[in-house]
Amino acid sequence: MKSFFRFLYELIGTPQPPSETPLYRDVIFPNVGLLTLGISLGLVLIFYYLINRAMGVATFNKVRHWVIFLVINALLAFVVAIWQAHAQQAAEHSYIYWMATLNAFYGLLWFFLFSIILRKGSTNASTTPF
């Protein structure tokens, strides 16, 4: 799992300063990656199964509503990456913000993929976003 997240987050380069590389590879990358996966899955489940199935809110099934959740997911993914880097006391460097931006992109990707997989179980939004 560590090598998977290491590959994903090192696409923008190795962590800076170099003395921080083991911290990122062993702790920050896996934490950020798993949290982003969990948040993305959680928001998809909330959108499709809680709001649009259990609650039956027939007016919250449009593409714009899905985009709201998508943007919230990206913002949360960005914040989670910064929060984890600061929580692990990583040296302040621009790499943190580049990683957070990349993580926001991955959050968008995970949300989209989970939406494609899980949307059919929703009664009101089974065709959202398509």
Side-chain angles (χ1 to χ4, degrees):
M1 189 63 83
K2 287 181 184 181
S3 60
F4 174 69
F5 289 122
R6 176 184 170 187
F7 167 75
L8 287 180
Y9 291 110
E10 286 188 353
L11 288 175
I12 57 173
T14 57
Q16 299 295 323
S19 62
E20 299 286 323
T21 301
L23 174 66
Y24 278 93
R25 289 179 177 167
D26 295 335
V27 180
I28 296 173
F29 291 160
N31 287 353
V32 169
L34 290 174
L35 284 169
T36 302
L37 276 170
I39 290 169
S40 299
L41 179 61
L43 285 175
V44 166
L45 291 174
I46 288 170
F47 181 77
Y48 286 106
Y49 292 98
L50 181 64
I51 294 175
N52 283 299
R53 184 178 177 144
M55 292 174 59
V57 181
T59 59
F60 203 76
N61 60 356
K62 307 286 189 269
V63 172
R64 67 178 174 263
H65 302 124
W66 181 83
V67 170
I68 290 170
F69 271 76
L70 183 73
V71 169
I72 290 170
N73 186 56
L75 290 173
L76 287 173
F78 185 84
V79 169
V80 160
I82 294 172
W83 168 66
Q84 271 297 305
H86 287 277
Q88 299 300 326
Q89 301 175 347
E92 188 67 33
H93 195 273
S94 64
Y95 182 83
I96 293 172
Y97 299 99
W98 282 107
M99 182 188 71
T101 303
L102 183 63
N103 196 52
F105 172 75
Y106 289 147
L108 295 172
L109 180 67
W110 294 127
F111 188 88
F112 180 77
L113 292 174
F114 286 139
S115 291
I116 298 300
I117 294 168
L118 298 172
R119 70 187 176 134
K120 295 298 180 193
S122 175
T123 54
N124 292 329
S126 63
T127 59
T128 307
F130 307 113

